[in-house]
Amino acid sequence: LCTNSPVFLGSCQRLASKCLHTTVSFLKKTGTEHWWLERHLKDPFVKATKQQHYRCRSAFKLLEIDDKLHILRPGLSVLDCGAAPGAWSQVAVERVNALGTDPAVPTGFVLGVDLLRISPLEGAVFLPEADIADPGTQRTIQNLLPAGKVDVILSDMAPNATGIKELDHQKLINLCLGLLNLSQIILKPKGTMLCKFWDGRESHLLQSRLKEQFQDVRTIKPQASRKDSAESYYLARLYKRK
Ligand SMILES: C[S@@+](CC[C@H](N)C(=O)[O-])C[C@H]1O[C@@H](n2cnc3c(N)ncnc32)[C@H](O)[C@@H]1O
């Protein structure tokens, strides 16, 4: 084949463009990975997670919220929705004295539910591989809670993200609205609900539903929640229903 022929030159061009494409995607990928790794290594909450033996850094979101707003105290019963790998449950076990380690204060109760498996945690009861939206799961939750009732509902649930912001936002809002329906059955009067949402068009809908059922509703963005994330929390206190 003549090196000047259009056939040869065309093949070279196609090959070069293919190589360039592969190189650019490789550089893009390694660039993102490098940025992620650097952010991860510099993150003070990642260091603190290791030092304080929490299962993941999200523990610090709940610790911060509870330090400021005191939603957990010894003797309370807690339902932790989307509990895996178990960091929020670790915090809840400590703060409600679920292990009974402090005999001077009442002993609390922690029930964690997740679609995934969760390694056992002393002081917590886990319901793994269970969908909170499933009526069967909701019946089991009622059976496991002391007298079928709970003081605090925590939700750090996050559905598998599709990457389509509006769709992911809506999926999480629907999960929270479903949980709000469950709260009407299991939450004690004056109870608390803390739920994560990804901000978007329908956040106000969830907020107004919470305001119908709770006396005090506020929006919280803890320091440990990354600034570039759409994640925030609604903290709803003083449940109005009997
Ligand atoms: C961000 S993680 C929770 C981290 C947890 N708070 C901790 O501190 O370890 C979100 C979890 O929500 C769970 N999840 C999502 N949808 C759920 C559903 N319908 N029922 C139960 N769990 C769900 C996911 O499986 C995932 O483990």
Side-chain angles (χ1 to χ4, degrees), residues 56 58 82-88 113-116 130-132 156-159 175 196:
C56 69
S58 61
W88 276 31
V113 183
D114 204 287
L115 289 172
L116 305 177
D131 183 347
I132 198 84
D156 195 24
M157 284 191 289
L175 258 183
K196 169 155 84 184

Side-chain angles (χ1 to χ4, degrees), residues 37-55:
L37 195 64
E38 200 173 276
R39 183 177 79 162
H40 184 77
L41 293 174
K42 279 185 186 161
D43 186 335
F45 294 109
V46 171
K47 282 182 197 146
T49 302
K50 276 194 204 131
Q51 281 161 0
Q52 297 180 41
H53 307 288
Y54 284 116
R55 294 184 179 187

